[in-house]
Amino acid sequence: MAETIFFNALREATDEEMARDPRVLVMGEDVGHYGGSYKVTKDLYKKYGDLRLLDTPIAENSFTGMAVGAAMTGLRPIVEGMNMGFLLLAFNQISNNAGMLRYTSGGNFTIPMVIRGPGGVGRQLGAEHSQRLEAYFQAVPGLKIVACSTPYNAKGLLKSAIRDNNPVLFFEHVLLYNLKEDLPDEEYLLPLDKAEMVRSGEDITILTYSRMRHHVMQAVKTLEKEGIDPEVIDLISLKPLDMATIAASVRKTHRVLIVEECMKTGGIAAELTAQIIEQCFDDLDAPPVRLSSQDIPTPYNGILENLTIVQPAQIVEATKKLLDNRI
Amino acid sequence: MVQERVLPATPTTRATVTREEGLMLYEDMVLGRLFEDKCAEMYYRGKMFGFVHLYNGQEAVSTGVIRALRRDANDYVASTYRDHVHALSAGVPAREVMSELFGKVTGCSKGRGGSMHLFSEPHRLLGGYAFVSEGIPVATGVAFQSKYRREAMNDPSSDGVTVCFFGDGAANNGQFFECLNMAALWKLPVIYVIENNKWAIGMAHERATSVPEIYKKGPAFGMPGVEVDGMDVLAVRGVAQEAIARARAGEGPTVIEALTYRFRGHSLADPDELRAKEEKEVWSKRDPITRLADHLLGEGLVKAEELKEIDRRIQEHVNDAVKFALDSPEPDPKDLYKYIFAED
Ligand SMILES: Cc1ncc(C[n+]2csc(CCOP(=O)(O)OP(=O)(O)O)c2C)c(N)n1
Ligand SMILES: [Mg+2]
C-alpha cells in the first residue's frame, strides 16, 4: 500500500498502460513537456518520447478527429481535454466519428480511444470552465461515459478504459485531483459498467457520482448521528447506467435521492429518474427526488456559485424529507 | 454566374503510361461514370433513398490519384458524401457499393451507412464522411498512425500514405487549416486532394473564399501546393505520383487542388438551376473520359473497338451489381443494435 494523490493515480494508470502496450499514446494540449494541466502526464514524455506524448496545437476538433483516425487504424489514443469543457469544440468528432462511426461503417472499424480530463465545477472558475459535458454527451450512441471519484477507482477505471475497445469519455473532477488514498501495490482493474457501493444501508438509496459523492458522504455523517441509515451508490458508469445494482438497492430501500453536479434539465439524474420509474415503479414508496445544479451558467461570485451547486446541508434536508412521510 | 479558372496557371508534368496502365485508368473512369449513371436511374426508379451525390465529370481525380496508390498495401483513402467513385477506385466491389446504396446487408457498410457512409476496412477506405470537412482530421490521424508505427513502434514496413478528398467548400472550414498546420508540423504522409468543382451546393467558390487559389494555402503552412487540371487523368496521375513519393519518403504532406466540374446537380435532389448554361457547356466539352480515350487512340496504344468493348463489359458489370443488390437480403431486424460496440 502506498499513499497516492489522485493525479498520480491517473498518471500511474497511464504509465502502466503505456509500458504494457506500445499502441497507447496520449495527445492533447500541454500533455508532453508541460506534463498536463493537472500533472497527470508529468514527465512521461521523458520516458516515452514526443510522439507518444503528443503536444498538439490548440485545435480540439481536429486533434480529436485525428485520434479517431489513429484508433480506427489500430492505435489506442488517449485524448486529454485540458479542461473537458474545451471539447465542446470537438463535439462533432466525438459524436459523429468516435460515437457513431463503428455503427455507420457496419462494423468495419472500431474506435478504441479514451477522452479524459478535468470536468465539473471548480472554485470560481466562471461559467465556461465549469461545464458538465457528461449531460450533453449522454445521448450519443456508441459512447461509454465514466466518472471517477477517488484515487482508487480513478486508477482502476482508467486502466480499464484504455483497454476497452470502444470510445470512453472519462470524467475527472477539477476539485478532486489532490485527494489522497492508499492504493494497492499490485495491479488492479475496475469494471467500467459497474456502480460502486459506497455505503450499504437500509433507509434510502442515494445515487451520485464524481465530486458529489464526497458531498453526499459529508451529509451521511450528519444523517448517521440522527439514526438514519442511507445506502450510497456511486454510479461510476453514467452510460450505460448500472440498473441492476440500482434496482436491487431500490427494492431494499424503496426511496431514491439523486445528487448530481450537472444541471437539472436534461441531466444524468433526469435519465436516471426515467429509468427508475420505468423499471422500479412498484418498488417505490415515494417519487425519486433530484438534487441538481441550478439551470444557470455557473456564476463567478463564490456565494452565488455555492448556491448553484448542491451543498451537504441540502442533501441532509432532502433525505429527511423523503423519510418523513414514511408510513 | 460563369466562373473562370478552367486551367492551371502553370501546366504540370503529365504521367506517361503504358498500354496496360492506360487501359486500367480508362476502365476505372468508365466504371465510375456508368456506375453513377445507373445510380441516377435507380434513384428515380425509387430503389435508393436519401441524399445521393454523384461524381460525373470528376472521374479523372479519383482515378488519377487513387490508382497511383498501392492497392494491396497500407495506403488509405478518405472521402466525403460524394464517395461512390472513390470507393470503386479503391477497389470496393461495385456489388458492395450498389448494395449499400440499396440499404442491403451485403453492402460494404452492411446497409447501416448508405450513400454518404461507404466504408471498407479491407480496402482501407476510411469512409464517406457526411459532414463537410470532418474526414480531414480523421485522415490526418491515420497518416499520424503510419508515422507512429514507423517511429514509435519501430516498424519500418509502415510506409503507408493517406489520401484525403474533399471539395472547395470544405477548404473554407477550420479543420482544413488546423490539419494543414499539424500535418506539416509533424511531416505526416498525407495528401489533401481538393476537388474544386467551383460550387458548394449553390455557393460559388469565388463568393466564399478570399483567396480562391486553394493550392496556395499549402505553402502558407510550409508544404507544397499544386494546381492541376482535374479533367486530365494523366496530369492528375503525374502530380499524385510525385506527392505520394514525397509522402512515402517521409518528406511530408502535399496539397493538390484539382480544377474540375460536376456534370450533374449537387445531389439527385438538386434541380441544378443556378449554374449558367455556358459554364456547363465549357466544362462538358472537357470530359475526362473522352480526353483519355483520345490520348490512348492518338498514341496508338489502343484501338477504338477495344474501348467500345471495355464500355460494354463495364456496363454489364454495373448491371450485375444492380442485380446483386436487388437480390440481396435486407438487414435482419434482430440485428438493429449490432455494431454499436466493438463486441457486437
Ligand atoms: C458540416 C456540414 N455543413 C453543411 C453541410 C451541407 N452540405 C453538404 S455538401 C455542401 C457543399 C460542399 O461543397 P464542396 O466542399 O465544394 O463539395 P462538393 O459538394 O462540391 O463536392 C454542404 C454545404 C454538411 N453536409 N456538413
Ligand atoms: Mg465543390
Side-chain angles (χ1 to χ4, degrees):
Chain A
M1 290 295 224
E3 191 182 62
T4 309
I5 193 160
F6 202 112
F7 66 80
N8 265 333
L10 293 164
R11 185 184 179 281
E12 283 174 13
T14 310
D15 188 10
E16 287 173 21
E17 292 306 303
M18 289 186 77
R20 178 180 174 267
D21 185 346
R23 299 168 303 173
V24 177
L25 68 139
V26 184
M27 54 199 285
E29 291 149 24
D30 278 324
V31 298
H33 295 197
Y34 188 76
S37 52
Y38 290 86
K39 301 291 162 229
V40 170
T41 52
K42 189 166 173 50
D43 287 341
L44 288 180
Y45 82 100
K46 290 183 184 160
K47 186 165 170 189
Y48 298 108
D50 286 352
L51 266 185
R52 297 190 68 192
L53 274 298
L54 189 70
D55 277 323
T56 64
I58 305 151
E60 288 81 5
N61 202 31
S62 290
F63 71 67
T64 306
M66 283 185 63
V68 171
M72 285 168 72
T73 46
L75 302 187
R76 306 182 78 85
I78 303 167
V79 169
E80 176 174 292
M82 182 177 245
N83 176 297
M84 284 305 251
F86 303 147
L87 297 184
L88 283 173
L89 278 95
F91 210 118
N92 180 68
Q93 290 295 344
I94 294 173
S95 60
N96 278 358
N97 294 333
M100 304 202 299
L101 189 145
R102 175 168 171 79
Y103 192 86
T104 322
S105 76
N108 268 289
F109 292 96
T110 50
I111 296 101
M113 69 188 276
V114 177
I115 300 170
R116 54 151 287 272
V121 179
R123 252 187 212 110
Q124 294 189 260
L125 300 178
E128 294 190 37
H129 285 69
S130 307
Q131 313 254 8
R132 284 121 305 155
L133 293 193
E134 62 272 22
Y136 296 1
F137 280 112
Q138 67 175 330
V140 178
L143 294 179
K144 295 186 176 179
I145 306 182
V146 171
C148 59
S149 53
T150 64
Y152 177 79
N153 68 29
K155 184 175 179 184
L157 289 167
L158 182 56
K159 283 170 69 80
S160 296
I162 295 168
R163 292 190 200 182
D164 198 276
N165 286 327
N166 297 286
V168 180
L169 275 185
F170 189 93
F171 287 92
E172 298 149 20
H173 195 289
V174 269
L175 292 183
L176 298 182
Y177 283 112
N178 291 324
L179 286 186
K180 288 184 186 123
E181 188 176 5
D182 282 339
L183 298 192
D185 296 325
E186 59 282 1
E187 177 172 65
Y188 66 96
L189 287 98
L190 294 172
L192 295 181
D193 56 353
K194 288 276 171 295
E196 183 182 325
M197 183 63 68
V198 182
R199 182 190 189 281
S200 177
E202 300 293 329
D203 296 340
I204 181 173
T205 299
I206 304 180
L207 302 170
T208 187
Y209 67 92
S210 189
R211 181 178 177 229
M212 282 298 129
R213 164 180 177 159
H214 302 282
H215 276 205
V216 167
M217 290 316 286
Q218 245 174 282
V220 164
K221 278 190 203 144
T222 311
L223 293 167
E224 279 170 345
K225 284 187 201 126
E226 305 191 16
I228 296 168
D229 180 23
E231 178 145 300
V232 179
I233 294 175
D234 184 335
L235 298 172
I236 301 290
S237 177
L238 307 184
K239 189 179 187 185
L241 293 163
D242 178 7
M243 286 309 292
T245 302
I246 294 164
S249 178
V250 176
R251 264 196 301 280
K252 181 167 67 166
T253 68
H254 312 295
R255 284 180 165 72
V256 178
L257 174 68
I258 309 173
V259 184
E260 66 180 357
E261 197 180 75
C262 61
M263 284 177 272
K264 196 161 200 169
T265 304
I268 298 296
E271 174 60 26
L272 192 50
T273 305
Q275 292 202 33
I276 289 171
I277 289 173
E278 282 172 346
Q279 298 178 36
C280 315
F281 189 78
D282 292 342
D283 292 317
L284 288 169
D285 284 348
V289 171
R290 286 184 283 164
L291 289 179
S292 317
S293 288
Q294 302 300 315
D295 274 326
I296 58 173
T298 312
Y300 163 70
N301 175 279
I303 297 165
L304 299 183
E305 187 180 67
N306 282 338
L307 287 171
T308 304
I309 61 167
V310 180
Q311 302 301 331
Q314 291 169 271
I315 302 170
V316 172
E317 191 191 342
T319 306
K320 291 208 275 194
K321 207 166 155 213
L322 251 169
L323 292 173
D324 267 355
N325 44 20
R326 252 188 302 197
I327 325 133
Chain B
M1 181 175 183
V2 177
Q3 298 196 52
E4 309 296 333
R5 204 161 158 240
V6 173
L7 283 171
T10 29
T12 53
T13 315
R14 302 173 83 205
T16 45
V17 286
T18 61
R19 171 186 149 82
E20 282 66 38
E21 288 167 334
L23 287 174
M24 177 266 290
L25 298 175
Y26 181 80
E27 267 192 36
D28 200 65
M29 286 204 286
V30 171
L31 174 60
R33 176 69 55 88
L34 297 182
F35 188 93
E36 297 291 67
D37 286 345
K38 185 58 85 179
C39 285
E41 187 191 325
M42 290 295 131
Y43 180 85
Y44 293 124
R45 279 173 49 189
K47 294 289 177 201
M48 56 181 80
F49 307 92
F51 295 123
V52 178
H53 307 81
L54 301 186
Y55 193 73
N56 298 55
Q58 302 183 200
E59 295 88 351
V61 187
S62 179
T63 302
V65 175
I66 299 177
R67 297 313 296 265
L69 292 171
R70 292 185 308 210
R71 242 199 193 180
D72 307 315
N74 43 11
D75 290 346
Y76 287 91
V77 173
S79 181
T80 65
Y81 43 85
R82 201 179 295 289
D83 56 354
H84 311 173
V85 177
H86 294 145
L88 294 170
S89 291
V92 184
R95 283 179 162 196
E96 284 187 29
V97 178
M98 194 62 87
S99 284
E100 188 59 36
L101 306 185
F102 282 48
K104 298 298 183 71
V105 75
T106 50
C108 56
S109 308
K110 307 287 189 290
R112 270 64 164 187
S115 165
M116 303 190 277
H117 298 289
L118 302 177
F119 290 85
S120 181
E121 198 273 333
H123 302 94
R124 290 168 307 285
L125 174 67
L126 298 165
Y129 290 88
F131 272 29
V132 167
S133 307
E134 68 173 348
I136 303 173
V138 175
T140 306
V142 172
F144 172 79
Q145 166 266 158
S146 297
K147 180 190 169 91
Y148 182 97
R149 282 182 196 279
R150 202 170 57 241
E151 294 178 16
M153 293 172 73
N154 304 314
D155 175 3
S157 74
S158 179
D159 63 347
V161 173
T162 300
V163 175
C164 182
F165 291 93
F166 48 95
D168 44 283
N172 292 320
N173 185 279
Q175 289 170 97
F176 176 46
F177 304 117
E178 291 178 357
C179 287
L180 285 182
N181 178 48
M182 291 189 281
L185 188 65
W186 298 318
K187 280 190 185 290
L188 301 182
V190 58
I191 302 169
Y192 300 106
V193 179
I194 297 104
E195 304 197 48
N196 182 352
N197 60 12
K198 314 287 181 284
W199 293 87
I201 308 186
M203 186 62 162
H205 183 55
E206 276 75 6
R207 291 181 62 223
T209 303
S210 55
V211 178
E213 296 87 357
I214 302 167
Y215 72 96
K216 288 187 180 168
K217 294 166 197 186
F221 286 87
M223 71 180 80
V226 196
E227 186 188 26
V228 67
D229 181 356
M231 306 304 268
D232 178 355
V233 71
L234 299 181
V236 175
R237 187 172 165 89
V239 301
Q241 283 171 332
E242 226 172 276
I244 293 166
R246 260 178 52 76
R248 218 180 295 289
E251 290 162 28
T254 303
V255 167
I256 296 176
E257 179 184 10
L259 302 179
T260 184
Y261 203 71
R262 55 172 160 76
F263 290 169
R264 293 177 178 270
H266 171 71
S267 74
L268 287 172
D270 170 23
D272 194 21
E273 286 158 348
L274 194 60
R275 300 186 303 168
K277 195 162 143 280
E278 306 80 54
E279 181 180 291
K280 292 182 199 172
E281 277 168 10
V282 169
W283 285 94
S284 64
K285 286 198 200 101
R286 308 190 64 244
D287 189 313
I289 299 182
T290 325
R291 177 92 169 264
L292 177 65
D294 290 348
H295 173 85
L296 296 176
L297 293 168
E299 296 285 306
L301 291 170
V302 297
K303 295 198 196 67
E305 304 81 72
E306 287 179 288
L307 297 184
K308 273 218 186 77
E309 172 55 21
I310 290 175
D311 296 352
R312 194 196 56 73
R313 189 158 46 75
I314 299 283
Q315 186 63 62
E316 251 172 40
H317 185 63
V318 170
N319 294 346
D320 162 79
V322 170
K323 186 171 177 331
F324 176 81
L326 285 171
D327 293 346
S328 289
E330 305 278 351
D332 189 334
K334 77 172 179 355
D335 289 338
L336 184 62
Y337 282 83
K338 199 172 173 182
Y339 305 128
I340 292 187
F341 291 109
E343 295 72 26
D344 39 57

